[in-house]
Amino acid sequence: MKLCAHAPAKINLFLDVGPVAPNGYHPICSVMQTVSLYDIITVETSVQPGIMLECPGSFLPCDSKNLAYRAAQAFFDESNIKNTGIVMTVEKRIPVASGLAGGSADAGAVLLLLNTLFDKPLSKDALLQIGGRLGADIPFCMTGGTALCSGIGDKLFPLSALDPATVVIARGGADVSTAIAYGMLDEKYSMQMPGMPHMWEKLGKEGFAYASRSEFYNIFESVILPHHKEAAAYKTILENAGACAAMMSGSGPAVFGLFDDENDAKNAITKLEQAGAGAWLCKTCGGVQVI
Ligand code: ATP
């Protein structure tokens, strides 16, 4: 049997970071949203034992350095399924190392697909826990939609879905190392704890539809945008093209804009491409879709 899923990228509508904890992790408070820019994942049983991964057209490694591969290993360890063979393909569409959690999306989709392929040996909670051990963003990528995330991003509070919106994502210029970006925050700020109570109050009173217009915030912009001219320029293009909000996602360098008017969004794509960006038109959406 062969199964296929769409694994959507995430954007951060709000992202605040607190001071590094003794365990080396930074606490975060974030409103995350999945969008319909997705990788395509297939899994299939094989007579050849072991995990075989292919990433056609991508430079990514296809061994245990790949999060999709590690997710499959963790699934077999945890479910105690032995001597099985699977072939997986990861067709990358989400730009790599961009702040869009593409690797986490792939890993989450692999966990859900394998659990379906092998007749559900693990509960949804067990799968979320495996995901959380592999990467902080993975539980959110498995659940998707709109959620407030705390801890290191692994504690989820689902929110009512944001009104459907058209999203333009733009990416170009140098990669940003997430670890270096956190280091830059440590250097610039003696950071307060992230704004959970503030966000809860805001979300309780107004819901995120309101907050999305006035409360978009990403602390990483203050350390990345001054040095990343492409990301800063693409954000300005999105704003000038009529985005009701435009911001960097995660530690960047991808930036996104939310548009009320789809024609404005399409014009933004043209302008971004003229400026040399990779640009994608998509919509807010739910989590991993098994198709
Ligand atoms: P993060 O914020 O978690 O660092 P990101 O969203 O910025 O992630 P990803 O596309 O997830 O970026 O890639 C992060 C790193 O993970 C890259 O350096 C990449 O080589 C590695 N990686 C491993 N497996 C994958 C995968 N399946 N897809 C993308 N990147 C992967």
Side-chain angles (χ1 to χ4, degrees):
M1 190 168 50
K2 183 173 183 173
L3 291 177
C4 180
H6 289 170
K10 67 89 190 144
I11 54 176
N12 301 82
L13 304 175
F14 177 92
L15 177 53
D16 196 11
V17 177
V20 67
N23 65 6
Y25 288 100
H26 292 77
I28 71 159
C29 169
S30 183
V31 177
M32 297 198 200
Q33 171 69 53
T34 33
V35 293
S36 62
L37 168 61
Y38 49 77
D39 291 342
I40 301 174
I41 318 293
T42 64
V43 296
E44 191 176 13
T45 46
S46 149
V47 286
Q48 189 88 2
I51 299 165
M52 163 90 167
L53 172 64
E54 288 170 10
C55 299
S58 162
F59 60 86
L60 284 173
C62 290
D63 55 15
S64 63
K65 289 194 221 48
N66 195 303
L67 264 177
Y69 188 103
R70 286 214 291 282
Q73 277 180 321
F75 172 82
F76 288 122
D77 287 349
E78 204 72 23
S79 58
N80 228 0
I81 297 173
K82 293 192 169 62
N83 300 322
T84 310
I86 51 154
V87 177
M88 308 193 290
T89 60
V90 172
E91 192 184 311
K92 289 302 292 180
R93 294 164 163 217
I94 304 170
V96 174
S98 302
L100 299 169
S104 300
D106 299 346
V110 164
L111 290 173
L112 293 169
L113 281 173
L114 289 179
N115 205 41
T116 305
L117 192 67
F118 290 95
D119 288 333
K120 304 214 158 75
L122 299 176
S123 67
K124 181 84 190 277
D125 269 359
L127 292 172
L128 289 171
Q129 275 180 28
I130 301 173
R133 287 199 294 275
L134 288 168
D137 287 344
I138 296 175
F140 170 72
C141 288
M142 294 167 78
T143 318
T146 315
L148 183 60
C149 306
S150 69
I152 55 168
D154 55 335
K155 294 197 174 59
L156 301 183
F157 305 90
L159 302 172
S160 43
L162 193 67
D163 289 340
T166 300
V167 183
V168 173
I169 293 178
R171 206 278 190 212
D175 289 356
V176 172
S177 149
T178 304
I180 289 175
Y182 273 106
M184 291 164 89
L185 288 183
D186 290 338
E187 218 165 272
K188 184 171 168 98
Y189 301 105
S190 85
M191 289 178 283
Q192 304 294 305
M193 285 307 286
M196 280 293 279
H198 165 73
M199 275 316 274
W200 273 127
E201 197 188 328
K202 201 88 202 161
L203 292 165
K205 275 196 205 138
E206 332 255 9
F208 201 74
Y210 166 82
S212 68
R213 303 296 148 120
S214 62
E215 288 294 314
F216 270 67
Y217 174 71
N218 181 350
I219 192 171
F220 282 109
E221 286 195 335
S222 62
V223 290
I224 301 300
L225 290 186
H227 310 287
H228 202 291
K229 67 176 186 338
E230 290 86 356
Y234 302 158
K235 181 179 167 178
T236 304
I237 291 174
L238 287 163
E239 284 166 345
N240 291 342
C244 57
M247 201 169 66
M248 198 172 78
S249 184
S251 56
V255 292
F256 66 89
L258 260 70
F259 287 83
D260 288 329
D261 182 331
E262 191 154 334
N263 284 327
D264 286 347
K266 286 181 179 156
N267 289 335
I269 297 266
T270 307
K271 294 212 169 76
L272 286 161
E273 286 176 344
Q274 282 166 353
W280 296 266
L281 184 66
C282 52
K283 300 235 178 242
T284 52
C285 71
V288 174
Q289 282 274 333
V290 178
I291 48 171

